[in-house]
Amino acid sequence: MYIYPDASAVVRDLAPDEPVILNRPHAAARAGRFFAEKFPGKSLYAVKANPSPDLIEILWASGITHYDVASIAEVRMVRGLLPDATLCFMHPVKTASAIREAYFDHGVRTFSLDTEEELNKIVEATKDAAGNVAADLRLCVRLRVSSEYSELSLASKFGVDLANAAPLLQATRQVADWLGVCFHVGSQAMTPFAYVQALDRVRAAIAQAAVTVDIVDVGGGFPSVYPGMEPPPLEDYFAIIHRHFEALPIAYNAELWCEPGRALCAEYSSLIVKVEKRRGEELYINDGAYGALFDAAHVGWRFPVKVLDASRSASEAEFAFYGPTCDDADYMEGPFMLPGDVVAGDYIEVGMLGAYGCAMRTAFNGFGRGEVVRVADEPMASLYRGDRADPRQSDNVVSLR
Ligand SMILES: *Cc1c(COP(=O)(O)O)cnc(C)c1O
């Protein structure tokens, strides 16, 4: 596949009327190597952040061997791509048929749960033809933790409360070969302290239940870089998580797991959009709330932008965007910083859309098509390149394959 040097070269070649997704395999591979080599445990890629088969194969090639899947469709898709990967079915509410197919047809042994009903469902669905309970289940009890340090909360939907955790951990211990405790601090956790607080809750749950724990899974939430969101280095997260993990009352050979989604794929993709119309400081562009810019519209996420015409040189101004559909909600407040003389017909590159961006496109209102190409230049921001405000010496020594 041809690799363009950068977004401007794509515009020169294609003059695209539809949005174009730009993928950067080298950036995803760098993120994969970083987690594979530096996280002090196993890293499970959370497939929902971006289920693109190309990306999954890049992560596999860069050392990511475990995948957090949340639906039977994700189980089938990843198993089809990667026959040797370890798949972990980490949605706490599954159908019996999904559990059965995952266990018997796709070799899945790890499941999460947050109720006794789900535990019983897993036990029943994985019994063999003679009615024997499976002896090789790895069951992770999902604990509810606070999302107060994260930009996107995941605190209300899943997880057993600490007050009810002990009986569930004990019941799970009875049938699990490996017993795990997992949680999710919310997405884009802006400080490692989010994990400290959650691990304190894990400690309390284990102490109350007095069970032997074999896996501690700290979930996702590892951040990427966006305008106004410059997180501390990931090494700080890893070091603090490791220290608090080591101090837990767990089996001596217990494993530490994490489930990064955003951090592994945010840098993978950006998007070229075209300005169809300008009205004051509002730009009507050809992607939006129903396309790759879902988070820009629905949770006010600010993505980095740049205009792809070098002759636009006025000082920067704040812009809001309208997407292409006829829905008023197809609006992105931003502010997005662009040269004040941007006009209809200009192309804009929107960066950091590899996570929860390019994966979210729909065909609503007839939009959502467009090409996907590869580019060789660097993402607009990176946690892995060593050019942040607080670069660590280790940033540039992630080994190359
Ligand atoms: C979404 C999700 C993740 C990934 O979260 P990020 O914030 O993208 O790292 C990990 N684990 C579970 C269970 C999830 O639902």
Side-chain angles (χ1 to χ4, degrees), residues 131-215:
N132 299 313
V133 173
D136 53 2
L137 291 173
R138 301 173 171 190
L139 301 181
C140 293
V141 172
R142 171 110 170 229
L143 198 60
R144 183 198 303 275
V145 299
S146 159
S147 276
E148 67 179 292
Y149 298 104
S150 301
E151 296 293 321
L152 293 173
S153 172
L154 287 170
S156 45
K157 190 166 182 178
F158 297 130
V160 61
D161 284 321
L162 179 57
N164 303 319
L168 185 57
L169 282 165
Q170 288 159 351
T172 307
R173 177 75 278 178
Q174 300 296 310
V175 292
D177 182 28
W178 290 17
L179 173 63
V181 182
C182 62
F183 58 79
H184 199 301
V185 297
S187 205
Q188 186 76 5
M190 290 302 292
T191 158
F193 190 67
Y195 297 87
V196 174
Q197 181 178 258
L199 286 166
D200 279 346
R201 208 170 289 194
V202 169
R203 159 189 294 285
I206 296 172
Q208 286 169 21
V211 289
T212 303
V213 165
D214 309 291
I215 304 165

Side-chain angles (χ1 to χ4, degrees), residues 229-347:
M229 290 189 257
E230 176 82 30
L234 286 176
E235 287 92 336
D236 289 3
Y237 290 72
F238 294 178
I240 289 174
I241 288 169
H242 189 229
R243 199 160 68 237
H244 286 261
F245 164 77
E246 293 269 282
L248 289 173
I250 47 181
Y252 75 94
N253 57 350
E255 295 194 359
L256 174 64
W257 293 7
C258 69
E259 304 168 353
R262 180 185 303 281
L264 281 177
C265 60
E267 299 179 19
Y268 178 54
S269 308
S270 63
L271 183 76
I272 297 173
V273 297
K274 189 175 183 185
V275 179
E276 305 290 1
K277 169 183 166 178
R278 174 170 177 172
R279 184 178 78 182
E281 310 297 86
E282 294 165 334
L283 303 179
Y284 292 65
I285 61 173
N286 58 356
D287 199 281
Y290 299 91
L293 297 173
F294 182 97
D295 277 349
H298 294 286
V299 292
W301 208 264
R302 289 178 60 212
F303 294 96
V305 291
K306 70 179 181 207
V307 69
L308 296 174
D309 184 330
S311 63
R312 301 281 168 261
S313 56
S315 56
E316 290 205 322
E318 296 186 351
F319 289 91
F321 295 159
Y322 276 109
T325 69
C326 303
D327 183 350
D328 251 26
D330 199 353
Y331 173 70
M332 295 146 274
E333 187 177 9
F336 301 99
M337 304 305 296
L338 290 163
D341 52 354
V342 64
V343 294
D346 284 350
Y347 289 97

